[in-house]
Amino acid sequence: MHNTFRSLSNPNYRIWAAGALVSNVGTWMQRTAQDWLVLSELTHHNARAVGIVMALQFGPQLLLLPLTGMAADLLDRRKLLLFTQAAMGLLALALGLLCISGLVQLWHVYIFALLLGCVTAFDSPVRQTFVSEIVSEKDLTNAVALNSTSFNAARMLGPAVAGILISSVGTGWVFMINALSFAAVIASLLMLRVGLLRAAPRLKASRASLLEGFRYVRQRPDLVSILVMLFLIGTFGLNFPIFLSTMSVTAFHAGAGQYGILSSIMACGSVAGALMAAGRDQPRLALLLGAAALFGFGCALAAVMPNYWLFGIMLVVIGVAAQTFTTSVNSSVQLSTAPAMRGRVMAIVLAISAGGTPLGAPVVGWVADTFGPRWALGIGALSGIAAALVGVRYLVKHHGLRLQFDTQRWRFALSGGQH
C-alpha cells in the first residue's frame, strides 16, 4: 500500500494533488451538465450535437499541436498553468451565467466548447509534464497513476452530484460551481515550494523546434506503435459522453440522476485501473496490448447487455481497461522520452487522444442516431481490437513475438527486450 501512494510523501505533490482533486470534481460536474444541456434541454436527444460539442472542445488540441508542445517546453510551466486554469474558470462562469439567465442557446455552447478547447490545448501538455518537476524520475510512474486516480475518483463523485443538481437547481449552477473549483488548483500552484521543484531543461524558441517532436517520434517505432494504438481507441473508443448519454436516454429511458450514476459506475473501474497502475514500476507494451483487447471485448459485451444494471457492471470492466491503457501510455511515453522533449511529445500524445475526437465523435454520434447506441458501442469494440492488433504487430516485428509449444502448453515468447 505504501508503494502505491509513495508520491504523497512529497509535500509539493500533496499540495498539487489536493487542489487538482477539487478542480477535477468540478470538471466532471461540468462535463455531465454540458452533455445533458445539449442532449435534453437544447435539442431533442440529438447525439450528433453532443458529437459536435466534443469535436469543438477537443479539436484545438490537434490544430494547435506545434504551439502547445513548444509552450510546455519553452515557458515556465507553473506560471502557464496559473493562466490556463484562471481562463477555464472564467469560461465556466460565463456559461453558467448564460444558463441561469435563460439566454443560453446551442450555438453558445458550441462557442464556449471551442474556446475551452483552445485553452485546454495549452493546459493539458504542461499539466501532464509539470508532475515531472514535482517528483523524481523513480516516482514519475506512480505520480502519473495517482493523478489518474484523482481524476477518476472525481469522475465517481462529479457526475452523480451534477445529476442531483441538474434535477434540483438546473444546469447553470453546475457550471458556476465548477468555476469556483478552479480556485483550488490556482491556490495549490501558489502554495507550492518553488525551491523544491525540479526545473526542466528549457529550449530556445525556433521554427525548427516546432517540428522537432515529430522527428523524434518518427525515429522511435515503439512510440509510433503506441500513438497508433492511442489514435484508434481515442478516436473511436473513448466517446463515453455519447455512449453513456444515448444508452441512458434511448436504451434504458433513464433520467439525469441515473445518467450521472452510470458515469460514476464506470469511474469506479477507472479508479481501480489507476490504482493498479500506481503499484507498477515500469509499464510495458504487452500491458497496453492486453488493456486494448479488454477494452474492445468490454465494449462488445456492454453493447448487448439487456438492462441498466448489467450495462453498469460492464462499464466497470471498460473503466479498468481504458484507465490501464491511458495511464500506461502516459507514463511509458514520459519515462522513455528525453526530458527536454517531453512537452512536445506529450502534446502529440494528448493531441492524438483528444484531437481524434473531432473525427470519431461525429461518426459515433451518427451511428447512435441512425442505428442505435448499441451499434455505436460496437465501433468502440472494434477500436480496441484493432489497437491490440497494432501492438501484436510491433512485438512480432521488433521483439520476435511468437507462439511456441513448451512443457505441454502453448505460450507467447519474446526473442528480445521490450520498451
Side-chain angles (χ1 to χ4, degrees):
M1 186 62 70
H2 172 73
N3 188 55
T4 300
F5 296 98
R6 62 183 182 273
S7 292
L8 291 175
S9 62
N10 183 314
N12 268 350
Y13 185 78
R14 286 198 303 272
I15 295 171
W16 166 253
L21 178 60
V22 175
S23 182
N24 285 337
V25 172
T27 296
W28 277 110
M29 290 172 62
Q30 170 152 333
R31 287 190 181 188
T32 303
Q34 180 177 277
D35 295 337
W36 192 259
L37 175 67
V38 173
L39 192 69
S40 297
E41 297 181 22
L42 299 179
T43 71
H44 183 64
H45 302 165
N46 190 331
R48 277 174 290 188
V50 178
I52 291 171
V53 170
M54 291 177 65
L56 290 170
Q57 189 164 322
F58 296 117
Q61 293 210 29
L62 185 61
L63 297 176
L64 300 175
L65 172 59
L67 294 175
T68 59
M70 190 175 72
D73 283 332
L74 176 65
L75 303 177
D76 184 301
R77 291 170 180 167
R78 177 173 164 271
K79 292 179 180 178
L80 182 56
L81 279 172
L82 285 168
F83 172 79
T84 56
Q85 293 290 311
M88 288 190 286
L90 290 174
L91 289 173
L93 176 64
L95 183 56
L97 291 173
L98 278 175
C99 290
I100 292 172
S101 66
L103 299 175
V104 68
Q105 298 181 37
L106 185 60
W107 66 270
H108 291 147
V109 181
Y110 288 162
I111 290 175
F112 276 96
L114 179 61
L115 292 174
L116 180 61
C118 291
V119 178
T120 303
F122 285 91
D123 179 81
S124 295
V126 70
R127 183 161 36 84
Q128 295 290 339
T129 54
F130 183 60
V131 70
S132 67
E133 297 189 15
I134 299 176
V135 301
S136 63
E137 289 284 320
K138 66 182 180 64
D139 288 333
L140 182 58
T141 297
N142 178 257
V144 167
L146 290 181
N147 283 351
S148 296
T149 303
S150 169
F151 188 70
N152 287 285
R155 188 194 289 185
M156 286 193 295
L157 179 61
V161 173
I164 295 171
L165 290 175
I166 291 169
S167 301
S168 57
V169 296
T171 55
W173 288 104
V174 178
F175 298 129
M176 299 294 283
I177 293 172
N178 179 47
L180 183 62
S181 74
F182 282 101
V185 72
I186 291 172
S188 72
L189 287 166
L190 294 174
M191 292 170 61
L192 290 178
R193 302 176 190 176
V194 180
L196 297 180
L197 295 177
R198 301 169 63 250
R202 299 285 181 237
L203 62 86
K204 294 182 179 180
S206 69
R207 291 184 179 180
S209 63
L210 287 171
L211 300 176
E212 195 173 346
F214 294 100
R215 298 192 187 100
Y216 182 86
V217 169
R218 189 174 58 189
Q219 298 168 359
R220 294 278 303 276
D222 57 326
L223 292 181
V224 171
S225 297
I226 289 173
L227 293 181
V228 172
M229 295 171 71
L230 181 63
F231 172 78
L232 290 169
I233 291 181
T235 301
F236 300 106
L238 302 183
N239 290 291
F240 298 132
I242 296 176
F243 295 148
L244 299 189
S245 60
T246 55
M247 285 292 288
S248 178
V249 171
T250 63
F252 303 123
H253 309 290
Q258 290 169 299
Y259 166 52
I261 289 172
L262 281 182
S263 296
S264 298
I265 287 174
M266 191 176 73
C268 292
S270 299
V271 169
L275 286 174
M276 288 188 287
R280 301 186 189 101
D281 292 326
Q282 295 287 339
R284 295 182 178 274
L285 189 63
L287 177 64
L288 291 174
L289 191 159
L294 180 62
F295 177 83
F297 286 116
C299 286
L301 290 173
V304 299
M305 288 296 105
N307 62 54
Y308 178 90
W309 291 112
L310 288 176
F311 177 72
I313 291 173
M314 291 314 305
L315 289 182
V316 176
V317 176
I318 294 172
V320 169
Q323 195 57 49
T324 299
F325 180 81
T326 55
T327 301
S328 298
V329 166
N330 188 320
S331 55
S332 62
V333 168
Q334 290 209 55
L335 283 171
S336 65
T337 300
M341 296 296 300
R342 275 182 185 153
R344 281 162 289 178
V345 174
M346 284 305 299
I348 295 173
V349 169
L350 294 166
I352 290 174
S353 177
T357 301
L359 300 175
V363 173
V364 173
W366 175 81
V367 171
D369 284 338
T370 306
F371 302 102
R374 297 183 186 277
W375 287 100
L377 270 168
I379 301 296
L382 290 175
S383 73
I385 301 303
L389 293 175
V390 170
V392 170
R393 179 185 178 276
Y394 169 79
L395 291 177
V396 169
K397 183 176 181 181
H398 296 279
H399 293 281
L401 176 67
R402 64 193 184 281
L403 183 64
Q404 67 180 29
F405 189 76
D406 185 24
T407 63
Q408 298 183 337
R409 66 185 180 90
W410 292 96
R411 68 181 184 90
F412 288 101
L414 298 174
S415 61
Q418 180 175 268
H419 289 282

